[in-house]
Amino acid sequence: MTIKLGKNPKDFKKTLTVVSIDGVSDTLSITYIYRDPVQMAELLDKRAAAAAAEAEASAKAALEAEAAEAAATEQGRDAAAAPVKIPSIKEGYLAQAHAAANEVLEIATGWDVDDAFTAENLLVLEKEFPGALVAIQARYQQAVTEVRVKN
């Protein structure tokens, strides 16, 4: 076989097993986007930058809330008059699920499910097969690592 450079695939398929809450296993075939090592590093840099920006925004909001509380106390008002909004557990879960669905859409283009490959349907998959979105991402990482280990 002769090596031909510049012939990287556009995408590749991998199968994984997902398990429903009642323990029933099923297979899911995902079409992943091929990324060379530089493109993969760019994606990870983009995700790291987004996480850093989110952490910075959270820290800024906490400092602003603390300053507002201090100002209210200094002015003799009840600091509880301006309560800080703390996300509910449900809001936190939904934010994480939406982020995971969007991350899956960054690494994959389709699946062997009759329903469209959309963020909404990925969220339905996650509800019916808890942990499926993490499994999809882990399978991608495993596939990329497998190839590099074999070389």
Side-chain angles (χ1 to χ4, degrees), residues 60-133:
K60 183 179 177 183
L63 287 173
E64 288 171 355
E66 189 176 301
E69 182 178 329
T73 301
E74 191 174 296
Q75 293 175 0
R77 295 183 311 213
D78 184 8
V84 176
K85 170 77 168 99
I86 298 173
S88 69
I89 293 171
K90 177 183 176 183
E91 290 169 331
Y93 167 79
L94 289 173
Q96 287 179 337
H98 282 276
N102 288 329
E103 288 175 358
V104 168
L105 291 173
E106 289 180 327
I107 63 172
T109 59
W111 58 6
D112 64 346
V113 175
D114 291 335
D115 300 292
F117 189 69
T118 63
E120 294 79 21
N121 285 335
L122 286 167
L123 292 171
V124 172
L125 176 73
E126 181 66 19
K127 278 176 137 179
E128 295 177 6
F129 295 88
L133 299 181

Side-chain angles (χ1 to χ4, degrees), residues 16-18 32 47 96-97 99-101 103-104 107 122 125-126 129-142:
L16 62 134
T17 301
V18 292
Y32 291 103
R47 287 182 178 180
Q96 287 179 337
E103 288 175 358
V104 168
I107 63 172
L122 286 167
L125 176 73
E126 181 66 19
F129 295 88
L133 299 181
V134 170
I136 291 169
Q137 293 182 62
R139 185 66 181 106
Y140 182 67
Q141 189 66 38
Q142 180 187 24

Side-chain angles (χ1 to χ4, degrees), residues 8-23:
N8 287 327
K10 178 184 163 199
D11 54 34
F12 62 94
K13 290 185 181 185
K14 290 291 179 181
T15 301
L16 62 134
T17 301
V18 292
V19 182
S20 67
I21 196 71
D22 60 356

